[in-house]
Amino acid sequence: MTPAESPLPDPNDILTSRRLGAAIGSLADPAPHRAVHLDEQERLAIRQALHRSAHPLAGFANHLLDDWGQLADDDRAAGLLLFAQLTRHPDQERNLDTGRGVER
């Protein structure tokens, strides 16, 4: 199976609590941070999830993905938080509310 044929990752596996925490932490560090970078497969998986979202900011989030390569790390960190909010499944939102599913 070639990379183009491989199944896309689940956005919830991309936008983990650990990655989001690292992205927030990167805001205080001027050096480029790995947590805010998305590879092509990750962007495609998030884009597909955004297309399924009825949220009014889904279109804006797609524009962020279009411009991802030109965004500063602080804008990327904000984008990751937005993507997580728009693509998260309702059962996973409940897990976050109860503290379950948070990576440590």
Side-chain angles (χ1 to χ4, degrees), residues 7-91:
L8 293 175
D10 185 303
N12 295 303
D13 293 334
I14 300 166
L15 303 166
T16 63
S17 297
R18 179 173 292 167
R19 186 175 200 170
L20 296 175
I24 292 168
S26 76
L27 295 174
D29 185 1
H33 201 279
R34 180 179 158 100
V36 298
H37 296 281
L38 294 172
D39 66 31
E40 187 176 331
Q41 290 289 87
E42 291 171 326
R43 288 192 305 271
L44 185 56
I46 292 169
R47 187 177 305 280
Q48 285 185 353
L50 289 172
H51 284 302
R52 293 187 299 267
S53 175
H55 197 282
L57 290 176
F60 172 74
N62 269 306
H63 289 295
L64 282 178
L65 282 173
D66 292 341
D67 297 334
W68 198 256
Q70 292 79 40
L71 296 177
D73 280 359
D74 57 342
D75 292 330
R76 288 179 178 186
L80 291 176
L81 294 170
L82 177 63
F83 302 151
Q85 184 63 35
L86 299 183
T87 63
R88 194 167 310 281
H89 300 295
D91 59 325

Side-chain angles (χ1 to χ4, degrees), residues 89-102:
H89 300 295
D91 59 325
Q92 288 163 330
E93 286 179 10
R94 282 193 301 274
N95 287 345
L96 287 177
D97 291 342
T98 61
R100 293 187 318 240
V102 176

